[in-house]
Amino acid sequence: MSEEYEPDNLLDRRSSPRTLQLHYDWLFERERRLVGRRLDLDAGGDVLSVGCGWHPGRHLFPAPAWRLTANDLDAARAEWVVQDGRADAAAPGAAGELHDLPDASFDVVLYRLVLHHIVFQGPLDPVFAEAARLLRPGGTAIAVEPGLWHPVGAGLALANRVGLGTRIHGTPDDVPLSPRGLARHARRAGLQPELHALTYSWRRLPPRLQRALHGADRAVGSIPPAARCGHTLLLLAHKPRA
């Protein structure tokens, strides 16, 4: 579970909802485009959305082709997204400790803006090992996370280090992740990683500048090493079929 969020922080006082929404809409579009290049989204299957919060990933895996199981440490929240029609089943529990879920029971394990909260509390290796256990052969673990190698990510890490995270952006557990570290965790779990930059933009930037950076997302966001420098990263970690 993430730390308590303080809405009265420096950056949120200076960000309009319209500017933020432009960024969120672009992320959804980029996620659909990039995931759709690697996965047959029309084929359907079983998805586990770990730490789902209020957005378990229906924009990527629509019903009825995909059966989506919502996981959250808060059981009431997992049940709520089922009742709201955003998921088909609930499986409460902590990431890395979902021992009741059977091996090889999912085609996709999704961590959408989750791992950077988990790493504040403990190591990520058990989480990746769990994803590998839960995936069927040929399945994919997907993670969407803030990147450490982007200037904003580096600044965020510095703010956290000096104890100003909550005052500046509302929470101490927004921990930008190293792209190299994400790939390393995946490999240690026996998964084959590929990394993309979802965007080089930042949700706080003026809309005109955000749109200008969207061109860079399309042009170089999937080209190493440029992909590692994204503000928001997409990790696709594939489980071998044999």
Side-chain angles (χ1 to χ4, degrees):
M1 182 177 290
S2 60
E3 297 294 300
E4 185 174 351
Y5 182 75
E6 171 52 67
D8 186 20
N9 61 76
L10 176 67
L11 291 177
D12 277 346
R13 289 197 298 268
R14 288 161 171 78
S15 301
S16 75
R18 184 176 179 181
T19 298
L20 298 176
Q21 193 60 48
L22 174 65
H23 177 80
Y24 301 145
D25 291 345
W26 177 246
L27 283 186
F28 272 34
E29 180 180 336
R30 286 281 290 167
E31 288 171 35
R32 286 191 294 263
R33 185 173 303 175
L34 291 176
V35 172
R37 290 180 188 173
R38 298 296 187 268
L39 279 65
D40 183 357
L41 297 181
D42 294 327
D46 295 294
V47 180
L48 175 67
S49 181
V50 180
C52 65
W54 308 116
H55 300 286
R58 271 297 189 212
H59 65 291
L60 285 171
F61 304 105
W66 293 91
R67 177 175 170 79
L68 196 152
T69 298
N71 159 261
D72 201 279
L73 191 58
D74 183 346
R77 182 176 297 177
E79 292 290 350
W80 183 88
V81 296
V82 174
Q83 295 170 10
D84 193 53
R86 303 185 191 190
D88 302 293
E97 301 176 8
L98 304 178
H99 309 306
D100 291 338
L101 296 177
D103 295 357
S105 51
F106 296 95
D107 301 288
V108 174
V109 177
L110 175 64
Y111 303 92
R112 191 174 188 280
L113 301 172
V114 173
L115 299 180
H116 68 287
H117 293 300
I118 294 174
V119 76
F120 181 77
Q121 303 171 5
L124 291 181
D125 276 338
V127 178
F128 277 86
E130 180 172 80
R133 177 184 71 81
L134 293 173
L135 284 170
R136 294 171 180 142
T140 302
I142 301 174
V144 175
E145 299 297 335
L148 178 61
W149 293 8
H150 186 276
V152 172
L156 179 59
L158 178 61
N160 291 340
R161 183 171 298 178
V162 300
L164 294 176
T166 301
R167 183 177 299 178
I168 291 175
H169 57 85
T171 176
D173 69 340
D174 245 344
V175 181
L177 300 180
S178 161
R180 186 174 293 162
L182 282 171
R184 184 170 61 246
H185 286 302
R187 290 192 187 98
R188 282 205 290 253
L191 304 174
Q192 299 170 344
E194 61 173 291
L195 198 71
H196 304 264
L198 278 176
T199 186
Y200 297 98
S201 184
W202 183 34
R203 60 181 177 165
R204 317 285 184 177
L205 292 176
R208 181 175 298 180
L209 187 51
Q210 285 196 43
R211 293 188 180 97
L213 288 170
H214 294 171
D217 301 342
R218 289 187 290 260
V220 300
S222 295
I223 301 175
R228 301 172 186 171
C229 298
H231 172 273
T232 309
L233 304 173
L234 172 68
L235 174 74
L236 302 173
H238 310 288
K239 184 172 182 176
R241 292 188 179 277

